[in-house]
């Protein structure tokens, strides 16, 4: 009798789920392209992670390759390049977190606090549009701006009596160039999350603060920023999770052998191992190490956030 009731309840639950899907089919159709993209380009490649445990032969496949166990990981960790790429990855991520994380928060507050709505919207639009410019185009703009012969920066330096500098071949300038480029391209887009959080703050809190005699700055520090804390914590956890996964596309376009000492990160090192050296097993091992560390960082950041502020992703 009890089993029959359980089966009946399962059928009802299944029917309820089907009805909900059918009633919201338009929303699920909108979601479908994203799901297909993740299945093809995020989850499907995971099936080939076993390459990290083989001396992989691209022409013979897994079946024709020799199983080496953890040898690729040992070679990666003992390699002379490992300390350099790990240090560069962490340093670039540190500057991204130190500069590129707080600026969108400040930008969101400035945009929402502007009295002139036209200026506010233009500021938001102009900072947002840069996110949709191709990385290739952005890197081309940066290279042209910093060109030693025709770049705007060097033309200004020449007018001031200084010698032109080939910034793109100087390792000491790379981290700053990459950080500022990333900030310019993504600050407006990242600010959208915080603008949405500000819009969701109860307006009665601002009215109560006004009655208590609070000025604009006090409202920002005692109402706006506390209201943004859940969004800030969520974004911080995601950023910490990606602290070791530096976007390699822009770095590949900007760096060159002269700047490997400061610009070569795990992602670009993995790319060069595969497509320049043909060492696919070692390349996948390096990428798997990077993903494993990122996963651990997300878990740790979430636990620490939950203990400190009671705000977490799960």
């Amino acid at each position: 009798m009890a089993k029959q009731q359980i089966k009946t309840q399962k059928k009802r639950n299944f029917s309820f789920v089907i009805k909900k899907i059918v009633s919201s089919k338009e929303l699920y159709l909108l979601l479908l392209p994203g799901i297909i993209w993740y299945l093809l380009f995020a989850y499907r490649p995971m099936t080939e992670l076993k390459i990290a445990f083989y001396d992989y032969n691209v022409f013979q496949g897994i079946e024709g390759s020799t199983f080496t166990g953890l040898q690729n990981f040992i070679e990666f960790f003992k390699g002379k390049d490992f300390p350099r790429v790990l240090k560069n990855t962490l340093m670039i991520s540190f500057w991204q977190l130190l500069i590129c994380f707080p600026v969108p928060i400040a930008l969101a507050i400035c945009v929402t606090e502007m009295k002139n709505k036209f200026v506010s919207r233009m500021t938001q639009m102009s900072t947002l549009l840069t996110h949709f410019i191709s990385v290739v185009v952005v890197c081309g703009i940066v290279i042209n701006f910093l060109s030693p012969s025709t770049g705007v920066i060097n033309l200004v330096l020449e007018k001031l009596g200084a010698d032109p500098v080939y910034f793109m071949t100087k390792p000491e300038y790379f981290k700053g160039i990459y950080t500022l480029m990333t900030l310019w391209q993504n600050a407006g887009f990242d600010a959208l999350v915080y603008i949405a959080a500000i819009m969701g703050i109860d307006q009665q809190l601002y009215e109560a603060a006004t009655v208590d005699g609070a000025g604009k700055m006090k409202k920002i520090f005692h109402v706006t920023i506390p209201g943004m804390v859940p969004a800030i914590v969520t974004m911080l956890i995601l950023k910490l999770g990606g602290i070791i996964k530096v976007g390699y596309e822009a770095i590949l376009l900007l760096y060159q052998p002269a700047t490997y000492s400061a610009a070569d990160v795990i992602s670009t090192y993995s790319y060069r191992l595969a497509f320049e050296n043909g060492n696919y097993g070692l390349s996948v091992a390096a990428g798997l190490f990077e993903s494993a560390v990122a996963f651990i960082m997300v878990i740790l950041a979430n636990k620490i956030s939950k203990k400190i502020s009671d705000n977490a992703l799960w």
Side-chain angles (χ1 to χ4, degrees):
M1 187 67 180
K3 289 183 178 179
Q4 186 64 33
Q5 289 178 345
I6 292 172
K7 287 183 179 179
T8 304
Q9 186 62 39
K10 285 183 177 179
K11 287 181 180 179
R12 288 176 180 173
N13 292 341
F14 181 74
S15 299
F16 176 77
V17 171
I18 294 298
K19 287 179 180 178
K20 289 290 289 183
I21 292 175
V22 171
S23 63
S24 306
K25 58 181 179 297
E26 293 85 1
L27 295 176
Y28 286 101
L29 285 173
L30 288 173
L31 188 63
L32 188 60
I35 294 174
I36 294 173
W37 186 91
Y38 269 98
L39 289 175
L40 291 177
F41 298 104
Y43 292 103
R44 171 63 181 83
M46 288 184 184
T47 61
E48 302 302 325
L49 290 177
K50 55 189 175 183
I51 292 174
F53 304 96
Y54 285 81
D55 182 11
Y56 185 70
N57 187 310
V58 70
F59 298 105
Q60 298 179 4
I62 288 290
E63 293 77 10
S65 302
T66 305
F67 180 77
T68 58
L70 298 176
Q71 185 58 41
N72 285 323
F73 294 93
I74 294 171
E75 185 179 345
F76 174 60
F77 295 137
K78 288 186 175 181
K80 62 179 182 179
D81 295 320
F82 176 69
R84 171 173 58 82
V85 297
L86 181 62
K87 177 187 174 184
N88 290 339
T89 303
L90 294 176
M91 286 302 298
I92 290 176
S93 296
F94 170 76
W95 285 110
Q96 295 272 305
L97 197 62
L98 183 66
I99 296 174
C100 298
F101 182 73
V103 169
I105 299 173
L107 178 62
I109 294 173
C110 290
V111 167
T112 54
E113 291 293 332
M114 287 180 182
K115 290 183 178 180
N116 190 317
K117 294 303 177 184
F118 176 78
V119 175
S120 173
R121 289 168 185 164
M122 288 300 295
T123 302
Q124 184 179 352
M125 184 180 70
S126 61
T127 54
L128 177 62
L129 287 177
T130 57
H131 176 77
F132 299 100
I133 301 175
S134 168
V135 174
V136 176
V137 175
V138 172
C139 291
I141 292 171
V142 170
I143 292 171
N144 284 328
F145 264 66
L146 299 177
S147 170
S149 56
T150 60
V152 174
I153 305 299
N154 275 304
L155 290 177
V156 172
L157 290 176
E158 285 184 10
K159 294 293 182 182
L160 295 174
D163 294 328
V165 180
Y166 197 175
F167 291 98
M168 302 310 299
T169 62
K170 304 288 185 181
E172 61 269 25
Y173 293 123
F174 185 86
K175 292 182 179 68
I177 292 169
Y178 179 77
T179 301
L180 291 175
M181 184 193 75
T182 305
L183 177 66
W184 176 78
Q185 186 177 20
N186 297 322
F189 185 80
D190 292 343
L192 285 178
V193 176
Y194 305 116
I195 292 173
I198 293 171
M199 294 303 178
I201 298 173
D202 190 347
Q203 292 301 310
Q204 292 182 356
L205 295 174
Y206 289 103
E207 293 171 4
T210 302
V211 171
D212 290 339
K216 180 168 286 189
M217 293 305 297
K218 285 190 176 181
K219 288 179 185 178
I220 290 172
F221 283 103
H222 296 287
V223 179
T224 304
I225 293 179
M228 296 169 65
V229 165
I232 292 173
V233 169
T234 301
M235 295 301 291
L236 181 60
I237 291 171
L238 294 175
K239 291 289 185 183
L240 288 173
I243 196 169
I244 201 168
K245 293 185 73 67
V246 180
Y248 71 94
E249 298 93 343
I251 295 178
L252 279 174
L253 293 167
L254 290 175
Y255 83 160
Q256 48 190 292
T259 56
Y260 279 174
S261 60
D264 201 19
V265 296
I266 295 176
S267 298
T268 56
Y269 180 66
S270 175
Y271 176 89
R272 289 192 295 106
L273 282 173
F275 296 104
E276 292 183 12
N277 300 339
N279 196 336
Y280 295 96
L282 186 58
S283 172
V284 176
L288 187 56
F289 164 76
E290 182 184 48
S291 299
V293 173
F295 177 74
I296 293 169
M297 288 297 296
V298 169
I299 300 295
L300 291 176
N302 191 72
K303 286 187 176 182
I304 293 170
S305 175
K306 189 181 290 185
K307 286 184 179 180
I308 294 175
S309 65
D310 292 329
N311 291 299
L313 287 176
W314 66 88

